[in-house]
Amino acid sequence: MALDHDKVLDEINSFSAETEEELESFRIKYLGKKGVLKALSAQIKDIAPEGRKEFGRSLNSLKQAVQDKIADTKVTLSEKPTGGGKQADQTKPNGTEDLGSRHPVSMVRREIEMIFQRIGFTIAEGPEIEDDWHNFSALNFPEEHPARDMQDTFFIEKDPDIALRTHTSSVQVRVMESQEPPIRIIAPGRVYRNEAISSRSHCIFHQVEGLYIDKGVTFADMVQTIEYFAKAFFGKTKIRLRPSYFPFTEPSAEVDVYWGLENETDHRITKGTGWLEIMGCGMVDPNVLKASGIDPDIYSGYAFGMGIERIAMNRFQIGDIRMLFENDVRFLKQFKGAW
Ligand code: 2NL
């Protein structure tokens, strides 16, 4: 095959390289032992003697072109900033900065939400600043109930109808007022009580409440759901219900899970009983259904409520509830990776 000098020269001249590696491949392709120029010079024996001088000149000029190209490209590459030719981004994080983590209360809240979402509950939210109706009256709290006391609830003097909600039941009242059954919701959120602050109680804390209303909902349905939750969250299969009292449910109960008494920690956690109290529950009082416009002759339902801090303290072995509200990073960073 005759030497197509101009075509090869074009190829050489149009070459450019981004990296040293590309340039080295170029060098090997043209000047290597099995390179293009070696292959071309082997063709000289097929050339008529009178054309060989011309052929040789052609070869030499191509070789020169390759060598010039290599020298030029070396200069270009050495002038390039590193990083693939792009100017390094001076604002880019270097990968050693500290990442934050979820708050333990958020972790527990989210886990409880997901467990109930799996069985068809949806999440409902409502205002933290409530009126007396949604926080108390609609929930069957009598006018003189001690929880309504200014001592226990944050009111404003100018308008005692306005208070910081003391539970998220107020959210559920709002849902019952605005939706037809079936209702299957959980209401997570922050609540407020005017309490003396100690290692076990705070004036701000978080709850998850649940509400299920439909035709023919029974106490047995409630127990099944709580059993499911205890298994999913605590990995415990045994629960017990103790009779209790709430203004908004009848009958009412406190729920304990059987934690076990195998070691020192079990004794401490369960105060030597083997049982851990996890929530309160009950069948929604017919008065509560009526107050929200639901006919108790057609519908029935159950409700439950639990405190998130208390569960978080159990899960993460936190001895003082106040640590959950101090926002001290030395405390919070211990929960990295726990979610
Ligand atoms: C507890 C107990 C409970 C409820 C909350 C509720 C809500 C409506 C109607 C009826 Cl709208 N009940 N909520 C019921 C029983 C117990 O909470 O120990 N919470 C921390």
Side-chain angles (χ1 to χ4, degrees), residues 183-224:
I183 290 170
R184 207 163 28 179
I185 52 167
I186 59 163
R190 177 174 295 172
V191 302
Y192 303 84
R193 294 194 190 164
N194 190 10
E195 287 198 61
I197 295 169
S198 72
S199 66
R200 305 292 312 164
S201 61
H202 208 285
C203 57
I204 302 169
F205 61 102
H206 298 78
Q207 278 192 320
V208 179
E209 287 207 8
L211 177 71
Y212 184 18
I213 298 172
D214 202 350
K215 290 176 182 159
V217 175
T218 68
F219 198 88
D221 296 326
M222 179 181 78
V223 175
Q224 285 283 307

Side-chain angles (χ1 to χ4, degrees), residues 121-150:
F121 284 75
T122 55
I123 295 166
E125 288 184 308
E128 293 181 17
I129 301 170
E130 263 300 1
D131 50 50
D132 181 89
W133 171 256
H134 292 99
N135 196 72
F136 293 122
S137 297
L139 288 158
N140 205 36
F141 281 78
E143 210 56 61
E144 292 306 316
H145 194 281
R148 289 178 168 233
D149 204 309
M150 300 274 196

Side-chain angles (χ1 to χ4, degrees), residues 89-139:
D89 178 0
Q90 302 296 335
T91 66
K92 195 173 170 229
N94 70 1
T96 61
E97 65 286 343
D98 254 1
L99 281 184
S101 57
R102 269 178 203 269
H103 192 282
V105 167
S106 299
M107 287 190 257
V108 169
R109 191 205 66 225
R110 191 74 196 103
E111 189 170 337
I112 297 170
E113 286 171 358
M114 286 164 66
I115 288 169
F116 283 105
Q117 281 174 323
R118 289 215 292 275
I119 54 170
F121 284 75
T122 55
I123 295 166
E125 288 184 308
E128 293 181 17
I129 301 170
E130 263 300 1
D131 50 50
D132 181 89
W133 171 256
H134 292 99
N135 196 72
F136 293 122
S137 297
L139 288 158

Side-chain angles (χ1 to χ4, degrees), residues 139 169 172 176 207 209 246 248-249 280-281 284 303-307:
L139 288 158
S169 312
Q172 294 169 310
M176 287 191 286
Q207 278 192 320
E209 287 207 8
F246 302 108
F248 31 70
T249 46
C281 65
V284 180
F304 54 84
M306 61 192 118

Side-chain angles (χ1 to χ4, degrees), residues 42-71:
Q43 292 172 6
I44 200 157
K45 59 184 183 332
D46 305 327
I47 304 285
E50 60 277 21
R52 287 188 185 165
K53 208 172 176 181
E54 173 64 26
F55 189 86
R57 255 200 296 274
S58 267
L59 271 181
N60 279 337
S61 79
L62 289 178
K63 191 171 177 188
Q64 191 59 52
V66 172
Q67 281 165 345
D68 290 346
K69 182 55 118 179
I70 290 172

